[in-house]
């Protein structure tokens, strides 16, 4: 049987009824999207002659893996695809230049302490790892310093775990997470305990899927950023360490050209100089964050 089976009248009528396209209530955009999602699923079933057992195994996987959906989406390349799609739409609209965007990932936490100056991100002890010193500027398209920017920064500890999501519960809520308020010169500086590469939780749903695909679930060591400033487009990006063994083999597809600085390692310290360039917000906006649901925690007593 081929996929034209899905185009037969009974199946098309089923799709119309299932997606409510002929009902007056409901959300027309959702109906149109649902109809296509269901139809695409049917086409996959026919194209691969998916058995009932295989179908229900997949449904059980989806149901059981809901807590890791934010990890699976980057792992199967969909979060990177969204970046490529946004880039292509930007290019069509003539919005080019500046630091490349790359995936947010699932591990941001709202409410990190808002701090100024040369900031220490690491509240908790983390023995045996280097101290990362990162410095640079945030400028606009003409090289002008961006005024009053807020740089959100978050990264893992030396075991590859993020505070708030750490299964060992060993970290305080905002360890290696800060929002840094920059001045009129657009300069930033922070130091922290050097992160290690990240691996998906062993035996979790993402790990299971990666193994079944013959893949791994490792990311190179990296540092995440949001940069927001009045009059500029909010940037979501990250740097990945160019000397990490997974720098060219990131399971989450978050590494991009221009975002792979090699830390200068000297004894107990490692240094990265990295400048960010923002695009200006236009009539179409761009200052806002996506309304993605994000974890949150109560702002802690300032501990920087
Ligand atoms: C994942 C983890 C990350 O730290 C990240 O930045 C992106 C994705 C993940 O587990 O899928
Ligand atoms: Fe990450």
């Amino acid at each position: 049987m081929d996929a034209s089976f899905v185009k037969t009248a009974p199946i098309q009528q089923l799709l119309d009824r299932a997606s409510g396209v002929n009902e007056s209530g409901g959300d027309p955009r959702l109906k149109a999207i649902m109809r296509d999602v269901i139809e695409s699923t049917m086409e996959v079933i026919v194209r691969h002659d998916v058995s009932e057992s295989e179908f229900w195994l997949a449904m059980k996987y989806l149901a059981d893996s809901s807590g890791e959906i934010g990890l699976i989406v980057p792992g199967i390349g969909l979060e990177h695809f969204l970046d490529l799609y946004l880039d292509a739409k930007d290019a069509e609209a003539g919005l080019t230049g500046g630091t490349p965007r790359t995936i947010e990932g699932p591990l941001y936490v709202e409410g990190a302490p808002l701090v100024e100056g040369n900031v220490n991100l690491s509240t908790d002890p983390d023995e045996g790892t280097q101290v990362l010193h990162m410095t640079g500027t945030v400028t606009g398209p003409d090289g002008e310093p961006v005024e009053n920017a807020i740089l959100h920064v978050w990264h893992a500890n030396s075991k590859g775990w993020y505070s708030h999501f750490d299964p060992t519960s060993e970290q305080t809520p905002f360890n290696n997470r800060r929002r840094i308020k920059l001045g009129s010169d657009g300069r930033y500086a922070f130091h922290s305990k050097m992160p290690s590469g990240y691996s998906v939780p062993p035996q979790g749903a993402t790990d299971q899927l990666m193994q079944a695909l013959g893949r791994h679930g490792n990311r190179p060591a990296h540092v995440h950023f949001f940069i927001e400033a009045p009059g500029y487009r909010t940037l979501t990006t990250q740097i990945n360490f160019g000397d990490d063994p997974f720098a060219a083999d990131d399971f989450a597809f978050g590494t991009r050209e221009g975002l792979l600085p090699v830390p200068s390692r000297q004894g107990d310290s490692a240094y990265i100089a990295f400048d960010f360039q923002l695009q200006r917000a236009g009539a179409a906006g761009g200052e806002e964050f996506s309304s993605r649901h994000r974890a949150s925690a109560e702002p802690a007593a300032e501990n920087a």
Side-chain angles (χ1 to χ4, degrees):
M1 185 123 17
D2 68 33
S4 62
F5 172 67
V6 174
K7 297 295 181 196
T8 60
I11 307 296
Q12 291 297 308
Q13 284 157 17
L14 174 62
L15 280 165
D16 286 345
R17 290 181 61 198
S19 56
V21 289
N22 296 324
E23 306 294 332
S24 54
D27 179 337
R29 180 167 165 79
L30 179 66
K31 293 177 192 205
I33 293 172
M34 267 314 279
R35 196 186 187 288
D36 281 355
V37 168
I38 304 167
E39 186 174 37
S40 302
T41 308
M42 292 171 171
E43 283 167 356
V44 169
I45 291 171
V46 175
R47 195 178 315 130
H48 298 276
D49 191 21
V50 172
S51 70
E52 267 190 273
S53 299
E54 288 173 323
F55 178 81
W56 289 109
L57 179 70
M59 292 304 106
K60 179 158 170 50
Y61 177 80
L62 288 180
D64 293 350
S65 68
S66 61
E68 286 198 21
I69 203 75
L71 286 64
I72 294 168
V73 165
I76 60 175
L78 276 178
E79 195 166 351
H80 180 52
F81 171 79
L82 290 179
D83 284 337
L84 296 175
Y85 183 51
L86 289 173
D87 287 355
K89 290 205 297 183
D90 278 359
E92 247 175 28
L95 291 168
T96 54
T99 304
R101 59 163 61 87
T102 195
I103 64 167
E104 172 179 332
L107 302 170
Y108 178 78
V109 179
E110 289 174 350
L114 185 62
V115 292
E116 288 180 54
N118 188 339
V119 173
N120 172 29
L121 310 184
S122 303
T123 319
D124 298 346
D126 195 346
E127 300 306 326
T129 190
Q130 290 176 310
V131 176
L132 169 66
H133 298 266
M134 210 174 147
T135 53
T137 56
V138 180
T139 58
D142 298 318
E144 77 281 10
V146 167
E147 292 185 27
N148 300 318
I150 296 178
L151 180 123
H152 305 232
V153 50
W154 70 104
H155 67 66
N157 68 7
S158 72
K159 299 190 176 74
W161 297 118
Y162 284 80
S163 60
H164 192 87
F165 301 97
D166 185 340
T168 68
S169 304
E170 274 168 16
Q171 298 184 60
T172 55
F174 290 104
N175 189 42
N176 296 325
R177 300 176 184 278
R178 292 294 184 272
R179 289 175 298 155
I180 308 176
K181 195 172 174 355
L182 310 190
S184 54
D185 61 358
R187 291 190 171 279
Y188 76 89
F190 65 81
H191 50 98
S192 63
K193 298 291 174 72
M194 195 77 167
S196 296
Y198 164 96
S199 304
V200 293
Q203 267 91 59
T206 315
D207 190 30
Q208 275 176 31
L209 179 60
M210 289 302 129
Q211 289 194 29
L213 297 175
R215 295 181 51 201
H216 64 75
N218 300 305
R219 299 210 60 211
H222 60 280
V223 181
H224 292 267
F225 303 94
F226 288 141
I227 308 179
E228 52 171 326
Y232 293 86
R233 291 181 93 191
T234 295
L235 175 69
T236 301
T237 195
Q238 45 175 287
I239 54 136
N240 285 257
F241 298 167
D243 60 357
D244 189 287
F246 288 101
D249 190 19
D250 174 8
F251 103 99
F253 309 99
T255 57
R256 298 194 83 170
E257 209 184 308
L259 300 174
L260 282 159
V262 176
S264 161
R265 299 178 188 266
Q266 296 165 29
D268 291 343
S269 293
Y271 299 88
I272 295 178
F274 193 87
D275 295 334
F276 297 93
Q277 196 183 63
L278 304 185
Q279 293 180 0
R280 250 173 236 132
E287 286 186 28
E288 66 288 338
F289 286 73
S290 77
S291 59
R292 174 178 184 160
H293 173 80
R294 299 181 173 90
S296 63
E298 286 304 306
E302 196 163 304
N303 225 338

